[in-house]
Amino acid sequence: MDFLEESDALQAVLADVSGDQWETVTQFKGWTLNDVLVHLHYWNQMADLSLNDPDAFTARIGALFAKAKVEGLRAAENEVISERGAELRAAWRSLYTDIGARWVDLDPKHRVKWAGPDMSVRSSITARQMETWAHGQEVFDILGLVRSEHDRIRNVVVLCVNTFGWAYKVNGRPVPDAMPRLELTAPSGAVWEFGEPGENKITGSAVEFAQVSAQTRNIGDTSLKVEGAIATEWMSIAQCFAGGVEKPPAVGTRHRS
């Protein structure tokens, strides 16, 4: 399962983190390494709860939103996830490994609840892979490491494609009639194509396209070639995750340390 492999890749670089290193501040909103794992572990729990106990999920998401509105999301997640450091890493690893074993045989079309609209099991686990990959970026960056990318990134790319309209809606802008043409090179060298040919076109690295859409890089810090007004606008507001509108990082602020 791609989610499991993505989680294992992050676990491998966190395996030697210890002591005060867990409070290392990343380039993402001042989050520490502890904050990253609290967030990933919390939402892995929520995805599993949405599958196994929808009523409990609804109650818990309501409580989360109520607390987050007053104290912020960090405080709301921290109230539920009390582990830190090595204990947190072990709890996160135990759950994602369990999810990887149990979810692989589920009907991918089965519907589950979420913070926004209901989604399929396939979409739910893809979202967990995307979050793990995206938040893993700040971990790799602050530790000064280059991540070994694989073609499982295609799942994230497809999610980015599917959220083209969402990026416009969350920003209060009219959705264009057609998505720009994408011609993206996978880590393996394969070329992935999406959309119909036209004057709006994005070409280059599939990983960099996913980075921009997940807001782990500014378009100006990539080598992507962007042609046309709609393609340019999309890359300035792309957001492949749920929640309120978020601004992409400024040029030069997200990079390998």
Side-chain angles (χ1 to χ4, degrees), residues 90-162:
W92 164 70
R93 186 181 190 185
S94 177
L95 179 60
Y96 81 64
T97 302
D98 183 40
I99 288 174
R102 287 187 289 104
W103 280 52
V104 70
D105 293 323
L106 296 176
D107 177 359
K109 296 181 180 180
H110 177 72
R111 306 296 292 181
V112 292
K113 291 181 177 294
W114 198 237
D118 292 357
M119 64 174 72
S120 67
V121 160
R122 177 187 285 114
S123 294
S124 181
I125 203 65
T126 298
R128 300 317 312 139
Q129 179 193 349
M130 181 276 292
E131 283 266 304
T132 303
W133 177 83
H135 284 290
Q137 188 68 65
E138 61 241 36
V139 175
F140 278 86
D141 284 346
I142 204 63
L143 294 179
L145 302 173
V146 176
R147 177 164 47 193
S148 176
E149 300 287 1
H150 300 270
D151 278 11
R152 61 175 178 264
I153 193 66
R154 182 180 175 88
N155 297 329
V156 180
V157 169
V158 170
L159 184 62
C160 299
V161 169
N162 290 342

Side-chain angles (χ1 to χ4, degrees), residues 17-18 51 73 80 113 180 213 215 232 254:
V17 173
S18 62
L51 173 71
L73 186 61
V80 177
K113 291 181 177 294
S213 296
Q215 297 189 354
T232 300
R254 299 290 301 275

Side-chain angles (χ1 to χ4, degrees), residues 31-45:
W31 282 22
T32 66
L33 297 182
N34 265 324
D35 290 331
V36 172
L37 277 201
V38 165
H39 181 72
L40 293 178
H41 187 43
Y42 179 87
W43 290 101
N44 285 351
Q45 283 187 356

Side-chain angles (χ1 to χ4, degrees), residues 17-242:
V17 173
S18 62
D20 292 342
Q21 287 179 298
W22 285 104
E23 288 304 310
T24 300
V25 177
T26 73
Q27 298 165 0
F28 177 72
K29 298 183 178 181
W31 282 22
T32 66
L33 297 182
N34 265 324
D35 290 331
V36 172
L37 277 201
V38 165
H39 181 72
L40 293 178
H41 187 43
Y42 179 87
W43 290 101
N44 285 351
Q45 283 187 356
M46 291 296 278
D48 207 36
L49 191 63
S50 72
L51 173 71
N52 296 310
D53 193 339
D55 291 339
F57 171 85
T58 299
R60 188 162 160 182
I61 200 74
L64 173 80
F65 287 160
K67 187 174 182 65
K69 187 175 182 180
V70 177
E71 301 180 32
L73 186 61
R74 297 266 46 75
E77 292 176 353
N78 287 338
E79 183 178 58
V80 177
I81 307 298
S82 60
E83 300 95 339
R84 295 293 182 272
E87 184 183 10
L88 171 60
R89 180 178 56 206
W92 164 70
R93 186 181 190 185
S94 177
L95 179 60
Y96 81 64
T97 302
D98 183 40
I99 288 174
R102 287 187 289 104
W103 280 52
V104 70
D105 293 323
L106 296 176
D107 177 359
K109 296 181 180 180
H110 177 72
R111 306 296 292 181
V112 292
K113 291 181 177 294
W114 198 237
D118 292 357
M119 64 174 72
S120 67
V121 160
R122 177 187 285 114
S123 294
S124 181
I125 203 65
T126 298
R128 300 317 312 139
Q129 179 193 349
M130 181 276 292
E131 283 266 304
T132 303
W133 177 83
H135 284 290
Q137 188 68 65
E138 61 241 36
V139 175
F140 278 86
D141 284 346
I142 204 63
L143 294 179
L145 302 173
V146 176
R147 177 164 47 193
S148 176
E149 300 287 1
H150 300 270
D151 278 11
R152 61 175 178 264
I153 193 66
R154 182 180 175 88
N155 297 329
V156 180
V157 169
V158 170
L159 184 62
C160 299
V161 169
N162 290 342
T163 52
F164 168 70
W166 162 250
Y168 280 83
K169 290 176 182 177
V170 75
N171 279 276
R173 304 187 190 189
V175 180
D177 292 334
M179 186 190 77
R181 171 75 168 178
L182 300 177
E183 295 178 2
L184 305 173
T185 303
S188 66
V191 176
W192 298 334
E193 300 178 350
F194 302 88
E196 299 301 320
E199 64 180 19
N200 286 278
K201 184 178 178 181
I202 300 169
T203 56
S205 162
V207 170
E208 288 188 335
F209 171 76
Q211 288 175 328
V212 173
S213 296
Q215 297 189 354
T216 70
R217 289 289 188 272
N218 185 287
I219 183 67
D221 293 320
T222 74
S223 58
L224 291 171
K225 183 179 180 181
V226 181
E227 304 173 59
I230 294 175
T232 300
E233 181 182 38
W234 182 23
M235 290 293 92
S236 73
I237 61 172
Q239 179 174 327
C240 68
F241 48 86

